């Protein structure tokens, strides 16, 4: 923060309070001190807190305060004065900066740059940058969300793999090696699962029902004797024999799309992909 920290801090509280009120929330109180600020607001039965911790605060102390707010039934949103934090689902947060030219700006962290090396001086370190008021109003209007794919939006599922000879009947069969989920929705991103990484409860919506028409055998979770674990495995499209996982790995350099189809992202798919490294807090720029 520049030298006129106290006056800017007062201005920051005003920006937050104005944005909150603009969205139809009743501001209960706003207060600030050297290097920190807090605004509480209510709409109906919901109470929110927009918190700006001091620059010397740790991520751990912020998470502890967030748990305290949640325990009191208050939804917390954080404007962090430091850039080194990891986006997590339990902490709706953005890095806030100030400049004479732009005023207050909110920067949303992505997963591409380690938090310890992230800098507000490098725009490439940030996934989204927008005026602070836009960030707050977007959040309060339901446009701030955490994940990789957004529930209810369209996506293309692409099944990748390649031909190999069945180890039992020696017929040529297609083996699936990976599932790609490609969203045209601008604030979603690309999701990729290797075959054995596909959550078993998602197989029904990530694989077409007519697999055999593409010469792909049954794909489901089975017990794998060598590894003594239940894993997602392919079978032959001709004789239904389970195929060796090593044969699937051999497809790495010659795999190609087998088929693709459109889906609407379900809640359980959105929840599952929110566990991927690509998950982050995002502000939607369209409904």
């Amino acid at each position: 923060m520049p030298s006129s920290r106290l006056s800017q801090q007062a201005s920051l509280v005003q920006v937050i309070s104005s944005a909150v009120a603009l969205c139809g929330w009743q501001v209960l109180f706003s207060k600030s001190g050297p290097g920190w600020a807090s605004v509480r607001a209510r709409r109906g039965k919901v109470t929110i807190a927009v918190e700006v911790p001091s620059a010397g605060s740790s991520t751990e102390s912020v998470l502890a305060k967030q748990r305290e707010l949640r325990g009191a039934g208050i939804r917390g949103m954080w404007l962090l004065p430091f850039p080194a934090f990891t986006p997590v689902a339990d902490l709706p947060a953005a890095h806030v900066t100030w400049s004479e030219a732009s005023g207050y700006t909110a920067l949303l962290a992505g997963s591409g740059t380690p938090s310890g090396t992230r800098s507000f001086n490098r725009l490439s370190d940030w996934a989204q940058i927008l005026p602070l008021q836009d960030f707050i109003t977007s959040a309060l209007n339901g446009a701030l969300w955490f994940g990789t794919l957004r529930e209810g939006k369209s996506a293309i599922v692409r099944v990748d793999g390649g031909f190999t000879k069945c180890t039992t009947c020696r017929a040529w069969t297609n083996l699936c090696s990976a599932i790609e989920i490609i969203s045209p929705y601008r604030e979603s991103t690309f999701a990729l699962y290797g075959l054995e990484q596909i959550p078993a409860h998602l197989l029904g919506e990530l694989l077409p029902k007519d697999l055999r028409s593409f010469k792909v055998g049954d794909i489901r979770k089975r017990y794998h004797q060598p590894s003594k674990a239940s894993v997602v495995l392919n079978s032959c499209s001709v004789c239904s024999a389970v195929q060796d996982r090593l044969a699937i790995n051999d497809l790495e350099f010659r795999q190609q799309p087998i088929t693709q189809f459109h889906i609407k992202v379900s809640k359980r798919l959105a929840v599952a992909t929110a566990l991927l490294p690509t998950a982050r807090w995002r502000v939607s720029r369209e409904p």
Side-chain angles (χ1 to χ4, degrees):
M1 293 276 181
S3 57
S4 54
R5 182 189 297 266
L6 292 180
S7 62
Q8 287 173 24
Q9 201 68 28
S11 174
L12 176 56
V13 168
Q14 292 167 5
V15 171
I16 296 170
S17 299
S18 296
V20 168
L22 186 65
C23 295
W25 292 72
Q26 176 191 1
V27 177
L28 301 177
F29 68 80
S30 60
K31 56 184 180 179
S32 64
W36 64 272
S38 179
V39 174
R40 297 284 175 94
R42 179 183 297 140
R43 187 170 66 184
K45 296 182 179 180
V46 179
T47 301
I48 61 168
V50 183
E51 300 286 335
V52 185
S54 63
S57 300
S58 65
T59 303
E60 290 72 21
S61 66
V62 168
L63 286 168
K65 179 65 175 180
Q66 176 75 342
R67 289 192 292 270
E68 181 183 321
L69 289 171
R70 190 181 301 113
I74 299 170
R75 299 179 184 178
M77 183 168 66
W78 292 82
L79 305 175
L80 304 177
F82 46 85
F85 65 95
T86 302
V88 292
D90 291 339
L91 190 71
H95 176 41
V96 62
T97 63
W98 184 92
S99 71
E100 291 283 356
S102 305
Y104 285 103
T105 300
L107 298 88
L108 277 72
S111 56
T113 304
S115 61
T117 60
R118 194 183 299 125
S119 169
F120 71 88
N121 290 316
R122 286 191 305 270
L123 297 185
S124 59
D125 286 0
W126 302 94
Q128 283 181 279
I129 300 173
L130 59 164
L132 178 58
Q133 180 162 326
D134 289 356
F135 172 73
I136 296 171
T137 56
S138 295
L140 298 185
N141 287 326
L144 177 68
W145 58 283
F146 183 88
T148 295
L149 301 169
R150 193 168 199 194
E151 179 184 352
K153 297 299 179 180
S154 64
I156 296 171
V157 175
R158 195 168 76 184
V159 180
D160 294 336
F163 274 114
T164 188
K165 277 192 175 182
C166 172
T167 53
T168 300
C169 72
R170 307 306 295 169
W172 284 99
T173 186
N174 250 331
L175 295 184
C176 169
S177 57
I179 297 289
E180 298 179 71
I181 310 168
I182 307 158
S183 175
Y185 181 61
R186 185 165 52 180
E187 306 310 335
S188 292
T189 192
F190 177 84
L192 172 66
Y193 288 106
L195 180 70
E196 294 176 24
Q197 300 168 329
I198 302 173
H201 68 287
L202 296 179
L203 287 172
E205 57 189 292
L206 293 183
L207 291 170
K209 300 186 184 303
D210 57 342
L211 276 175
R212 290 187 183 272
S213 66
F214 303 101
K215 295 189 176 180
V216 180
D218 186 33
I219 298 174
R220 58 187 171 91
K221 194 171 185 178
R222 306 168 185 263
Y223 181 77
H224 184 248
Q225 181 62 39
S227 64
K228 300 187 184 303
S230 293
V231 295
V232 177
L233 294 172
N234 276 273
S235 61
C236 174
S237 60
V238 177
C239 73
S240 298
V242 174
Q243 299 301 294
D244 193 325
R245 290 191 296 169
L246 293 178
I248 300 169
N249 294 336
D250 288 342
L251 295 174
E252 180 179 357
F253 299 107
R254 53 192 175 90
Q255 69 178 3
Q256 58 188 0
I258 296 174
T259 184
Q260 67 180 42
F261 56 98
H262 289 82
I263 63 166
K264 179 178 285 188
V265 177
S266 67
K267 180 177 182 178
R268 64 180 181 177
L269 178 57
V271 169
T273 54
L275 300 176
L276 295 173
T278 47
R280 66 171 178 85
W281 283 100
R282 306 165 189 270
V283 168
S284 300
R285 298 184 183 275
E286 55 192 78

